[in-house]
Amino acid sequence: MPAITLAPHAIKLPSPSFELVHAKLPNGLRVVLAPDRSAPVVGVSVLYDVGFRSEPEGRTGFAHLFEHLMFQGSANLEKLAHFRYVQSSGGTFNGSTHPDYTNYFEALPSNALERGLFLEADRMLSPRITEENLANQIAVVKEEIRVNVLNRPYGGFPWLELPPVLFDTFPNAHNGYGDFVDLESATVADAADFFKRYYAPGNAVLAVAGDLDPEETLRLIEKHFGGIPQRRVAKRPDFGEPPLTAERRATAVDAHAPIPAVAVGYRVANPVRELDAHLANILLTEVLSDGDASRLQRRLVQGDHLVTDVSAYLGEFGDPFDERDPTVLTLTAHYPDAKSLDRILRAVDEELDRVANDGLDAGELDRVRTKLASAMFREMDAVISRSLNFAKFELIFGRAELISELADRLSVISDADVQAAAASLRPDRRAVVELIAGGAA
């Protein structure tokens, strides 16, 4: 087997300081290492380039179901062994499914690094996909949906209700949690095909951060991942959709919600190809709703008393760097008077027009830009967050080191850029979902 080698350069991040090392195994697995000897812990993260958008029609929720199956034993480990090995080492672990990727990760003492690498390599090689495991995890996922969505106020709002109104294609519009009929009809053959298609080494990024020696870590990675056979990786489709040309409205009923809510969604700039426009949209969401001094907080909550809370964010789950095109700028609010929706929407439009036409107040952009950059660096403090972010930026943007450039990129986004972002959020380019409350009594 050809040996893997260090990339000829290391990238220095600003404070906090890390050096990234890139490598690639012959089977296609991309590797990012971020050594930091300040604490005896490591984070191990594996991201696969498959999420809700990759699910075939008739298999809603399958990417999330498969995430569960990946914890049910693997080539050399029986069911629950992964749990025991991590916890007996004093570590933690988890996984999650997103529109564009699925991740698996551990935080471990640094002396357990090889154990973490072995565990991730073993299930990349061959998870235990059996009738028993599949039936068990279908039941688990259905119960998760009951608890988190069906029997919980605002449980799926707005990430389940907004996409089918805003988008037209199945990959972008369908229920990523899964329809019970689709889940119950899933077969072992479906799961095996999903694994073969998407869980190849060449469709994954492995990131390791923390107390590690790069040369020794690469040796261990080659030892455990190098023997996994290379498999063909299908080209990812372009899931993009054009902006709306007319407003779309829909209603949803929540039997458990005590008061109504609204979600407003706009299709916005491609995060990968139009990063500066994406950053302008991020700053706009901060201007609109971050903190008591933000525009919509002052107008809708403190001034007009129309809503009890309001938020604006990018990305289906509020992470602006979590997905490729299409991504969504979402506004949500809860309000006590069911008849006030049109007043709320008019107030939102007026505030967007104020930003677009009158610009920002003195120091307003600097305030939100500094706060956002600080939050980005703070998120990198925990070793597991660090490994997850490096893997995500390598997968989504093709460059893990982009994290180190974001503060500089944000610093050159101007008031005019944010004004242009606000001007693009017109009523004819939005989808509005009104959540009707059924639990007020």
Side-chain angles (χ1 to χ4, degrees), residues 77-282:
L77 296 173
E78 73 278 9
K79 191 172 182 176
L80 301 181
H82 191 119
F83 298 39
R84 292 197 300 270
Y85 279 120
V86 173
Q87 291 173 339
S88 66
S89 301
T92 61
F93 64 95
N94 212 330
S96 59
T97 313
H98 302 252
D100 283 333
Y101 67 88
T102 305
N103 61 30
Y104 304 88
F105 52 92
E106 292 86 15
L108 295 157
S110 53
N111 61 8
L113 170 60
E114 183 170 9
R115 177 171 287 191
L117 295 173
F118 162 73
L119 292 172
E120 289 300 341
D122 204 53
R123 59 179 167 188
M124 181 183 286
L125 174 64
S126 179
R128 293 199 180 193
I129 304 172
T130 66
E131 293 281 1
E132 178 186 359
N133 285 343
L134 180 60
N136 175 268
Q137 292 312 301
I138 288 173
V140 169
V141 170
K142 287 170 62 179
E143 184 61 19
E144 186 176 328
I145 294 171
R146 291 187 188 99
V147 171
N148 292 339
V149 178
L150 300 179
N151 296 312
R152 179 182 177 184
Y154 315 108
F157 186 77
W159 79 276
L160 294 181
E161 287 88 353
L162 186 59
V165 183
L166 182 61
F167 295 112
D168 298 312
T169 63
F170 175 82
N172 299 320
H174 75 277
N175 176 356
Y177 232 145
D179 178 87
F180 278 17
V181 173
D182 288 351
L183 291 169
E184 290 165 353
S185 63
T187 67
V188 168
D190 293 330
D193 180 70
F194 197 80
F195 174 76
K196 182 179 179 181
R197 182 182 299 269
Y198 295 112
Y199 277 71
N203 206 41
V205 173
L206 165 66
V208 187
D211 184 20
L212 61 92
D213 173 81
E215 295 284 355
E216 173 63 12
T217 303
L218 284 171
R219 185 189 68 78
L220 293 174
I221 290 170
E222 184 175 15
K223 172 183 174 182
H224 293 290
F225 288 89
I228 301 173
Q230 182 178 15
R231 299 201 305 274
R232 179 179 173 272
V233 176
K235 180 177 173 59
R236 182 183 182 274
D238 180 358
F239 295 124
E241 296 189 31
L244 296 181
T245 56
E247 183 185 67
R248 297 178 179 180
R249 289 207 186 190
T251 59
V253 178
D254 187 334
H256 305 286
I259 61 174
V262 62
V264 183
Y266 306 84
R267 302 179 197 173
V268 289
N270 184 324
V272 178
R273 296 178 185 171
E274 304 168 84
L275 179 59
D276 287 342
H278 184 64
L279 294 176
N281 281 321
I282 296 173

